[in-house]
Amino acid sequence: MRTPSRVRTAATALAAAAGLVLVTGCGQGPGDESPGRVTLQFLSLAWQKESVAANKALVAQWNRQHPGVRVNYVQGSWDSIHDQLLTSFEGGQAPDIIHDDASDLTDFAYGGYLADVRGLLPASLKRDIPRASWSMATFGKGVYGVPFLQEPRVLVAGTKLLKASGVRIPTVAHPWSWPEFEQVSKKLTARGPDGRTERYGVAWSMKEPVSQSVNSAASTGGKIFRQSGGKNKVTFDAADSAVSQVISRQINEAHTAPRSSLGMGGSDTLPGFFAGRYAMVPLNFSFRQQVQQQAPKGFGWTVLPMPAGDGPHGSSQGVVPQTLSVSQDSRHKQAAVDFIAFLTQGKNAARLARGDWLLPNSRSALKDPALRTPVNGWRTGSRMAGDLVPSPVLGVRGYAEWKDKIATPAFQEYYNGSIGLGSLRSKLTGDGQRVLDRYQR
């Protein structure tokens, strides 16, 4: 990896001092270290009560068991982590251990801010996490993070409506195909005597449409981002666009999905789901916690796998795992990796996954009985783990700008019927490619 010069200007120094609200840095101040003791700063983005408690408990356990290496827990936030990390990297004040997600690692890895941990990882950890997961944190020839939590997308459905409709209930082994899903959505849609829709079969929350559109394309063999001549190229052929076309048909032709949900986030669809306005809602796996906590008394719900495309990889779904990385400037890289290995070993990874209502990447953690119970859909999720593949966005330099400036408005226009498939393709691959090319000169 190319390591940039780290010459700090006065402006950078001031920005760093102003922006470092999350971390105290790799360099310890007076009193941080006893003679012979290492002190590490661990920036955690855990935010749910159970997850924060689990992280803090594991940090305390480590500190009891390793008196020579103390870890300080530092609470961070997902809201602005990229900018805050960039400021801390430039200011030489980055934490030793960094919780983030793999999509955010690309520029930091190529920029020389993160340590390549390949030679520091214990063999047991290398074996416990599948090769596909390791590839999600690999950029060039280096590994710049340990993938430890992942989140598939699932269908959350009302059991009463499913049973009344008489449709086949899908399983992970035998999911609905996308055409079957369209037919099921029609059966679950109800219209009143005046022709108005009283219940929609499905509600697509598309406030942030890009990750859904890109990652679901894996089920039909789509990639959207491909390598050509060592550079990333944007495509949007039939395989790439198949699922997007399903969503568009449901909203604009079959009217089995409401246009009103396009501006919603996942949480926004829950009141309509509980009220019977929507029979099914595609949600990220962690939303089960909100469903469990907010569902009216007596409301029955279940977790179903997302529909599948044709072929042996039809159930594939792109994911972006949460990761634990080590700062390149850390003076104690091996100690930092040792703590990461402790945090992500089977029983501990399972504990963190339960706290966040996510799936662990660890094979041994997935065997935890609590992650295989049918209660709250845990079993469905754990059985989907083998179908999770690296999101096509991983390793694509310029993806964030492509997503924000090109893809998000283009997909929103397409799904609400303002533009057709050809215009969507032109925006993604024409305007979008020009964005990526600026990062690949």
Side-chain angles (χ1 to χ4, degrees):
M1 292 298 171
R2 176 181 60 84
T3 302
S5 64
R6 300 293 182 85
V7 178
R8 292 182 61 198
T9 64
T12 302
L14 289 172
L20 292 176
V21 297
L22 291 183
V23 298
T24 57
C26 300
Q28 286 77 36
D32 283 344
E33 290 191 5
S34 301
R37 187 173 76 175
V38 170
T39 300
L40 303 173
Q41 307 298 330
F42 166 39
L43 174 62
S44 170
L45 301 182
W47 62 276
Q48 299 199 72
K49 181 179 179 180
E50 297 87 345
S51 180
V52 172
N55 274 272
K56 288 184 175 180
L58 289 171
V59 168
Q61 180 181 336
W62 167 273
N63 287 336
R64 288 193 302 271
Q65 296 174 354
H66 301 82
V69 181
R70 178 175 181 80
V71 173
N72 289 337
Y73 180 94
V74 181
Q75 186 64 60
S77 169
W78 286 105
D79 293 341
S80 54
I81 185 60
H82 181 88
D83 291 340
Q84 290 166 330
L85 280 176
L86 183 59
T87 300
S88 66
F89 284 135
E90 291 290 349
Q93 296 291 316
D96 300 270
I97 302 152
I98 299 164
H99 179 189
D100 205 344
D101 77 50
S103 68
D104 201 31
L105 302 188
T106 305
D107 290 338
F108 292 146
Y110 282 103
Y113 296 115
L114 300 177
D116 178 0
V117 298
R118 283 176 300 170
L120 306 176
L121 297 167
S124 58
L125 181 59
K126 292 180 183 178
R127 291 192 300 267
D128 196 29
I129 294 178
R131 182 178 299 178
S133 293
W134 283 119
S135 72
M136 301 180 197
T138 299
F139 305 97
K141 295 182 179 180
V143 175
Y144 294 90
V146 175
F148 75 113
L149 293 175
Q150 55 189 341
E151 182 168 28
R153 201 158 177 83
V154 295
L155 290 171
V156 178
T159 52
K160 182 178 179 180
L161 295 175
L162 279 181
K163 184 176 181 180
S165 70
V167 301
R168 179 182 73 85
I169 306 301
T171 64
V172 175
H174 301 287
W176 287 326
S177 66
W178 284 105
E180 187 177 8
F181 171 69
E182 290 189 78
Q183 291 303 314
V184 167
S185 298
K186 289 180 180 179
K187 287 187 177 181
L188 290 169
T189 298
R191 312 197 192 280
D194 58 358
R196 293 185 178 181
T197 304
E198 296 179 342
R199 181 180 69 243
Y200 290 95
V202 61
W204 292 97
S205 53
M206 286 291 175
K207 185 177 182 179
E208 297 182 1
V210 180
S211 61
Q212 295 184 61
S213 304
V214 172
N215 291 328
S216 62
S219 69
T220 56
K223 293 182 180 295
I224 299 182
F225 295 100
R226 291 172 170 82
Q227 284 277 323
S228 176
K231 294 186 176 182
N232 290 301
K233 297 293 183 181
V234 187
T235 64
F236 204 62
D237 59 21
D240 300 319
S241 65
V243 175
S244 296
Q245 291 183 71
V246 169
I247 298 170
S248 177
R249 283 196 298 269
Q250 291 190 311
I251 296 168
N252 299 301
E253 297 177 23
H255 304 293
T256 56
R259 185 174 282 110
S260 59
S261 69
L262 292 178
M264 296 182 182
S267 298
D268 301 326
T269 63
L270 294 183
F273 175 60
F274 296 144
R277 180 70 172 163
Y278 319 129
M280 299 182 291
V281 283
L283 295 170
N284 287 346
F285 196 55
S286 61
F287 276 93
R288 297 169 302 123
Q289 183 183 32
Q290 290 187 43
V291 176
Q292 189 269 337
Q293 292 175 343
Q294 298 174 14
K297 185 176 181 179
F299 182 85
W301 59 279
T302 188
V303 175
L304 308 175
M306 289 295 289
D310 296 330
H313 303 294
S315 295
S316 295
Q317 185 179 150
V319 293
V320 174
Q322 293 184 29
T323 54
L324 294 167
S325 301
V326 177
S327 170
Q328 179 62 38
D329 285 344
S330 175
R331 292 180 289 163
H332 308 290
K333 294 182 179 64
Q334 185 62 67
V337 171
D338 291 343
F339 172 72
I340 291 174
F342 163 79
L343 207 62
T344 55
Q345 64 183 238
K347 62 180 181 180
N348 293 343
R351 184 176 182 181
L352 295 176
R354 294 196 304 272
D356 264 325
W357 288 63
L358 299 175
L359 294 180
N361 290 78
S362 159
R363 291 188 179 98
S364 57
L366 277 169
K367 296 178 182 178
D368 189 301
L371 303 182
R372 295 200 165 261
T373 175
V375 178
N376 294 327
W378 280 108
R379 178 182 295 172
T380 298
S382 63
R383 289 178 175 177
M384 292 173 63
D387 295 319
L388 303 183
V389 300
S391 171
V393 311
L394 295 175
V396 177
R397 301 202 70 182
Y399 166 72
E401 184 177 345
W402 178 87
K403 172 187 173 183
D404 293 342
K405 294 184 177 179
I406 306 297
T408 294
F411 274 115
Q412 288 174 337
E413 288 179 299
Y414 174 65
Y415 289 136
N416 69 28
S418 298
I419 62 173
L421 184 63
S423 294
L424 173 62
R425 180 179 294 111
S426 177
K427 290 174 182 288
L428 297 179
T429 64
D431 299 341
Q433 189 62 54
R434 284 189 283 275
V435 169
L436 296 192
D437 286 345
R438 292 205 310 272
Y439 291 80
Q440 303 181 117
R441 291 171 181 168

